[in-house]
């Protein structure tokens, strides 16, 4: 493969990957986890204040990396933010995953790197969660980057490489608590690949290891302490491991069987829709075979294989599972799949056989692209989409629009009083969507909110709906909207305001004259 062809294919994969991750950032309503983190980022943006919460929200990297994006767009308040700003950082790091294998082109070969780049660009799972304002895409990037940089150090020990490995490792630790899984998996992979290799690479220098560890500690300390303003929060990040250990082994709604991730990726179907990234898994198995067979350049296939397998088995063993947690290990399998694809295609000696293999691979890649489009732009919030988990329904946006339209008719406009009566799970993502309204009160039960008819508009969960209707009677009109599958919110609008809204809408529909 010529340098020009190689460069063109890599640039094309980047363009496609970036387009799939950036296009229509509001195609899917904000998930409640995204909204929670976006509001938390809004506090950092407005006040410069960040406090780590070891029971939730994960590490600070995502929030601090979003700051320059908001500044570039001229956004300085929560109310000024939008989905484009919030979802840009994960999209950038998701696209960055395409580039991570480029430094290994000299040992893996250009064909394997190109195959890997296109798989990373087209993978429905990698793309879907790159469009989420959550930490997993950043963690997957930093974990794989740590594996590659630390492996490069093993091959050629240099102080600057050790320093870079420490910086990347510190960023991974400051991103999410599950770094305690992926970073050790990366170290195990590197040690195993080194021990497997003949002749052995150069030895490790203690001063370089100390330099890398120091860099990791400094990065993590600065971020968790909110740049030295809250130094005690660094200890909170360590105490958080106990919280997430208990959660990971506990009984809750996210408890799944050990093969959950494998089943999700290999094959799923619901309501007539069929999904599979089985091509990646089959090609990854071929990549593992390449790693076992060995030969020149076997260090990297072995390192990626061990990392992927160790981290996947660890995540599989933890009962607590959410679909986005597959990213840190799945990106390793995507790398192995690129290695396997190149090995399968170019192992065919007759030109016709090689052409058939390349045609079949191209068809498989196109199938991934079609699924990517369906997952992210046709069914992005549909429960039949296997990557969807407790996703906010599009019907919820009708509720938000109704609140906005009614507020426009009220004398107080965005300062209109809105009362929300719902549990914490049912309140989100309302705080994000009502971020421009200045008088929104949140309570978990109706009796906590005082006199309900002080508010022209009330949003209530089902457990509060009967109490609200009994208190308000016929003075309010009630509407129902879907929040998530099997979760309904009721919207109570003061009758006079509702009649003005209906009259205005009728007039607009009929038109003048």
């Amino acid at each position: 493969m010529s340098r020009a062809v190689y460069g063109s294919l890599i640039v094309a994969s980047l363009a496609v990957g970036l387009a799939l991750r950036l296009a229509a950032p509001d195609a899917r309503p904000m998930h409640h986890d995204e909204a929670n983190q976006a509001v938390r980022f809004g506090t950092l943006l407005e006040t410069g204040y960040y406090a780590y919460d070891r029971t939730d929200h994960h590490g600070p990297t995502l929030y601090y990396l979003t700051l320059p994006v908001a500044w570039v767009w001229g956004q300085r308040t929560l109310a000024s933010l939008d989905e484009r700003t919030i979802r840009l950082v994960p999209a950038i790091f998701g696209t960055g995953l395409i580039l991570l294998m480029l430094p290994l082109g000299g040992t893996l070969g250009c064909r394997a790197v190109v195959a890997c780049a296109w798989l990373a660009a087209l993978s429905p799972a990698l793309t879907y969660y790159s469009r989420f304002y959550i930490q997993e895409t950043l963690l997957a990037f930093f974990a794989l980057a740590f594996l590659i940089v630390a492996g490069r150090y093993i091959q050629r020990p240099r102080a600057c490489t050790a320093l870079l490995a420490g910086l990347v490792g510190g960023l991974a630790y400051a991103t999410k608590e599950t770094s305690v899984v992926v970073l050790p998996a990366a170290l195990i992979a590197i040690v195993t690949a080194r021990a497997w290799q003949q002749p052995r690479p150069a030895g490790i220098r203690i001063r370089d290891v100390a330099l890398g560890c120091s860099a990791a500690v400094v990065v993590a300390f600065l971020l968790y302490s909110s740049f030295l303003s809250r130094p005690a929060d660094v200890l909170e990040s360590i105490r958080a491991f106990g919280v997430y250990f208990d959660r990971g082994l506990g009984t809750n709604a996210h408890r799944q069987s050990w093969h959950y991730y494998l089943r999700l990726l290999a094959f799923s179907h619901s309501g007539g829709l069929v999904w599979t990234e089985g091509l990646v898994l089959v090609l990854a198995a071929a990549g593992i075979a390449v790693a076992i067979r060995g030969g020149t350049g076997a260090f990297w296939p072995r390192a990626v294989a061990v990392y992927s397998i160790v981290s996947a088995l660890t995540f599989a063993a933890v009962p607590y599972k959410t679909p986005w947690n597959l990213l840190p290990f799945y990106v390793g399998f995507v790398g192995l799949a690129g290695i396997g694809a190149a090995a399968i295609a170019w192992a065919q000696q007759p030109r016709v056989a090689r052409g058939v293999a390349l045609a079949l691979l191209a068809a498989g890649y196109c199938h991934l692209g079609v699924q990517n489009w369906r997952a992210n732009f046709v069914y992005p919030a549909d429960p039949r989409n296997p990557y969807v988990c407790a996703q906010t329904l599009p019907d919820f946006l009708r509720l938000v629009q109704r609140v906005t339209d009614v507020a426009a008719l009220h004398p107080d406009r965005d300062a209109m009083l809105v009362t929300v009566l719902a549990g914490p799970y049912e309140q989100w993502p309302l705080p994000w969507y009502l971020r421009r309204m200045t008088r929104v009160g949140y309570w978990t039960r109706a009796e906590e909110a005082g006199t309900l008819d002080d508010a022209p508009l009330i949003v209530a969960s089902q457990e509060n709906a009967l109490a609200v209707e009994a208190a308000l009677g016929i003075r309010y009109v009630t509407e129902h909207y879907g929040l998530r599958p099997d979760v309904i919110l009721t919207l109570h609008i003061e009758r006079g305001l509702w009649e003005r809204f209906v009259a205005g809408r009728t007039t607009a529909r009929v038109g003048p004259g």
Side-chain angles (χ1 to χ4, degrees):
M1 181 183 296
S2 69
R3 184 174 297 181
V5 172
Y6 174 69
S8 298
L9 290 173
I10 293 297
V11 170
S13 70
L14 278 173
V16 170
L18 194 61
L20 289 171
R21 287 155 176 79
L22 291 181
D26 57 352
R28 174 181 51 78
M30 291 282 279
H31 190 277
H32 58 276
D33 284 350
E34 289 184 281
N36 195 301
Q37 300 203 108
V39 171
R40 190 171 176 83
F41 167 70
T43 301
L44 174 63
L45 178 66
E46 291 181 348
T47 66
Y49 176 79
Y50 168 81
Y52 174 68
D53 178 3
R54 64 185 172 90
T55 62
D56 216 340
H57 303 109
H58 308 302
T61 307
L62 177 63
Y63 310 125
Y64 280 110
L65 289 175
T66 310
L67 278 176
V69 177
W71 293 337
V72 167
W73 299 132
Q75 297 168 336
R76 296 294 188 272
T77 64
L78 172 63
S80 67
L81 293 172
D82 55 24
E83 285 83 352
R84 175 190 62 170
T85 300
I86 288 300
R87 288 171 168 163
L88 181 58
V89 169
I92 290 173
F93 278 89
T95 307
L97 289 171
I98 300 171
L99 295 172
L100 281 180
M101 300 296 278
L102 293 185
L104 307 183
T107 53
L108 292 179
C110 294
R111 300 183 184 101
V113 172
V114 168
C116 174
W118 276 97
L119 285 171
L122 295 175
S123 165
L126 294 187
T127 302
Y128 192 81
Y129 299 119
S130 293
R131 297 169 60 86
F132 256 68
Y133 191 63
I134 53 177
Q135 283 83 1
E136 274 66 23
T137 300
L138 276 68
L139 179 63
F141 179 90
F142 291 134
L144 187 59
F146 176 77
L147 172 72
I148 292 172
V149 177
R152 293 292 291 267
Y153 173 82
I154 289 294
Q155 292 187 312
R156 186 183 177 188
R158 299 174 63 187
C160 60
T161 308
L163 177 64
L164 181 58
L167 292 173
V168 174
L171 287 169
Y173 178 76
T175 298
K176 195 181 178 187
E177 294 76 11
T178 44
S179 60
V180 74
V181 172
V182 294
L183 293 180
L187 291 174
I188 291 171
I190 292 166
V191 171
T192 302
R194 181 180 183 273
W196 207 338
Q197 188 172 358
Q198 296 296 335
R200 297 277 179 87
I204 300 171
R205 297 183 298 207
I206 299 300
R207 68 174 183 273
D208 291 343
V209 174
L211 179 63
C213 291
S214 298
V217 170
V218 169
V219 168
F221 186 86
L222 287 174
L223 288 169
Y224 274 111
S225 68
S226 192
F227 292 91
L228 307 182
S229 64
R230 296 178 59 87
D233 283 357
V234 178
L235 296 178
E236 288 293 289
S237 73
I238 298 173
R239 295 177 63 194
F241 292 126
V243 174
Y244 286 92
F245 180 82
D246 292 340
R247 184 177 300 174
L249 298 181
T251 302
N252 51 61
H254 293 291
R255 190 179 182 91
Q256 300 286 350
S257 60
W258 68 268
H259 52 76
Y260 169 77
Y261 297 119
L262 178 62
R263 187 177 71 247
L264 187 153
L265 292 166
F267 182 81
S268 64
H269 64 93
S270 178
L273 298 178
V274 177
W275 309 81
T276 177
E277 294 195 46
L279 173 68
V280 176
L281 299 180
V282 170
L283 293 177
I288 293 173
V290 171
I292 294 173
R293 187 176 66 236
T296 304
F299 176 87
W300 285 111
R302 288 167 174 170
V304 176
V306 173
Y307 165 76
S308 305
I309 293 170
V310 170
S311 54
L313 290 176
T314 305
F315 278 103
V318 176
Y320 181 97
K321 294 180 177 68
T322 53
W324 43 81
N325 277 332
L326 63 82
L327 258 64
F329 68 82
Y330 187 54
V331 69
F333 283 111
V334 170
L336 285 170
I339 296 170
I344 289 173
W346 297 97
Q348 313 304 319
Q349 293 304 319
R351 187 169 297 180
V352 173
R354 181 175 298 172
V356 171
L358 288 172
L360 291 174
L361 286 172
Y365 276 56
C366 289
H367 180 249
L368 281 179
V370 170
Q371 288 189 107
N372 193 312
W373 180 262
R374 287 198 308 161
N376 291 287
F377 303 104
V378 182
Y379 305 106
D382 195 310
R384 294 175 296 174
N385 183 336
Y387 309 109
V388 165
C389 179
Q391 172 61 44
T392 305
L393 297 174
D395 192 50
F396 173 79
L397 299 182
R398 293 178 54 245
L399 181 152
V400 175
Q401 188 61 52
R402 183 58 54 89
V403 172
T404 302
D405 293 341
V406 168
L409 300 174
H410 193 274
D412 294 335
R413 303 289 179 140
D414 286 347
M416 181 186 74
L417 179 62
V418 178
T419 297
V420 179
L421 305 171
Y425 182 68
E426 287 83 12
Q427 290 178 5
W428 293 94
L430 266 174
W432 164 258
Y433 283 103
L434 301 185
R435 63 192 180 279
R436 295 182 179 90
M437 302 194 70
T438 58
R439 298 178 65 211
V440 183
Y442 295 89
W443 290 269
T444 57
R445 294 190 302 274
E447 55 268 24
E448 297 174 349
T451 306
L452 294 179
D453 54 11
D454 287 343
L457 191 149
I458 300 167
V459 181
S461 62
Q462 285 296 286
E463 64 181 7
N464 287 298
L466 292 178
V468 172
E469 291 175 5
L472 300 178
I474 63 171
R475 292 169 296 164
Y476 283 66
V477 175
T478 301
E479 299 176 345
H480 301 273
Y481 298 91
L483 172 62
R484 285 182 283 274
D486 302 322
V487 180
I488 303 296
L489 292 179
T490 59
L491 179 63
H492 307 270
I493 307 171
E494 191 274 323
R495 184 169 293 276
L497 196 57
W498 181 82
E499 290 173 350
R500 287 178 58 195
F501 168 74
V502 172
R505 187 171 58 174
T506 303
T507 302
R509 185 164 54 245
V510 172

